[in-house]
Amino acid sequence: MRLSGAAVEDSHGTAPTSGKRWLKATLIGLHSQSRHSRTLAFRVPGWTGHAPGQHVDVRLTAADGYSAQRSYSLAEPSTTPDRVAITVDLLPHGEVSPYLVETMEIGDELDVRGPIGGWFTWTPGDPGIGPGPVLLVAGGSGVVPLMTMLLARKRAEDRTPTMLVYSLRGPRDLMYGRELSEMSVGRSGSRTESDPEVRLVYTRVVPETHPRPASHLRREDIALPSAWPAHLAARVFVCGSSSFVEHATGLLRAEGYPDDRIRTERFGPTGADR
């Protein structure tokens, strides 16, 4: 397991990038995701594409030559040539994320390198993953690579039974709210068996109409729908802080999932509460 992935800041132990070269990236689009995060889209000539779940190294260089490098999960499936998108969560005392979230403007440039990572990926229809439902478990900004998987599933019109369990502090921290709402009800306006199920787990502040009280992730939150076949054959992807991943993995093991069905991705140096 490596400390990288969604909204990584001051990470440790990122995967080796031998053979990858730095490419110039120009900001061409941005929009807010939550009160403290935004998605940035770049034009990257020479980018060869990526798989859902992979990440990219980002390098900023100051006029005096000083540079800082971080890793961020790719926030969109690879559908447009020379395009890379990341979603960045603000760490107020960070060195890189404040610039990306609060300062960077259209036309600004930075360097990117990647794609990186091959273990924590799921492409709909990939025979290498094996059959069975897909369970995605996110803590905070760990939702980014899992959202990319869901977007790839939607574009491929894949019907694999899929559920996202998304743990976050409160409504103001919700990323991809509109996309998740639209995705979970499909074109008909009401959820069908082919639409992914989305479960929001609020740990501190709960919307008035939300049926679940505030608490950390619980065993019942990750229980698959009873109508789904082969529960313990599900492919499970967990992404979040180190403490969140440890907690979620413990719940999955208590449910009976074997370790070889669980793939994890961690971010951040300290395992902040997500």
Side-chain angles (χ1 to χ4, degrees):
M1 300 176 186
R2 57 184 174 78
L3 291 174
S4 65
V8 179
E9 181 86 356
D10 300 324
S11 62
H12 300 276
T14 51
T17 55
S18 58
K20 302 291 184 181
R21 61 190 179 94
W22 290 103
L23 301 172
K24 189 63 66 178
T26 304
L27 186 65
I28 58 173
L30 53 85
H31 65 273
S32 296
Q33 284 292 352
S34 70
R35 61 175 175 170
H36 47 63
S37 67
R38 71 174 178 176
T39 297
L40 303 94
F42 298 90
R43 182 176 64 252
V44 187
W47 186 258
T48 57
H50 54 272
Q54 288 187 302
H55 70 277
V56 63
D57 287 342
V58 171
R59 183 175 67 185
L60 301 176
T61 304
D64 62 2
Y66 174 77
S67 65
Q69 177 183 327
R70 301 292 183 268
S71 297
Y72 294 98
S73 289
L74 290 155
E76 294 178 354
S78 185
T79 58
T80 303
D82 298 339
R83 180 183 172 96
V84 166
I86 58 175
T87 296
V88 181
D89 198 28
L90 174 67
L91 293 183
H93 303 293
E95 188 177 29
V96 173
S97 64
Y99 172 75
L100 295 176
V101 175
E102 299 177 332
T103 305
M104 195 173 192
E105 298 178 348
I106 299 297
D108 289 345
E109 295 182 335
L110 48 71
D111 299 313
V112 301
R113 179 173 60 181
I116 303 166
W119 170 251
F120 195 81
T121 60
W122 174 51
T123 299
D126 180 3
I129 297 295
V134 175
L135 173 60
L136 309 174
V137 185
S141 56
V143 74
V144 176
L146 307 184
M147 188 66 198
T148 304
M149 296 176 188
L150 287 175
L151 290 171
R153 178 188 184 277
K154 179 180 180 181
R155 291 178 180 179
E157 297 185 347
D158 185 82
R159 298 178 64 87
T160 302
T162 304
M163 181 169 74
L164 170 68
V165 180
Y166 178 11
S167 175
L168 64 161
R169 291 189 177 100
R172 296 179 64 190
D173 302 290
L174 178 66
M175 296 182 181
Y176 301 103
R178 177 180 57 81
E179 292 90 340
L180 289 172
S181 178
E182 293 175 353
M183 194 176 297
S184 62
V185 299
R187 297 176 182 174
S188 65
S190 59
R191 188 175 178 277
T192 67
E193 291 184 1
S194 63
D195 297 322
E197 180 171 340
V198 177
R199 295 181 183 174
L200 299 180
V201 175
Y202 294 101
T203 62
R204 298 185 183 179
V205 180
V206 181
E208 291 184 2
T209 58
H210 195 67
R212 183 191 182 280
S215 76
H216 291 291
L217 190 71
R218 300 181 302 204
R219 191 167 170 177
E220 54 265 34
D221 295 320
I222 60 171
L224 294 184
S226 58
W228 286 12
H231 283 57
L232 298 184
R235 297 155 286 178
V236 187
F237 295 85
V238 184
C239 187
S241 67
S242 183
S243 60
F244 177 84
V245 170
E246 290 298 327
H247 176 64
T249 301
L251 295 177
L252 290 162
R253 288 171 176 157
E255 279 289 293
Y257 285 95
D259 286 347
D260 62 2
R261 302 300 292 181
I262 305 171
R263 299 190 180 188
T264 64
E265 181 86 315
R266 305 164 184 252
F267 65 77
T270 60
D273 178 23
R274 294 281 175 169

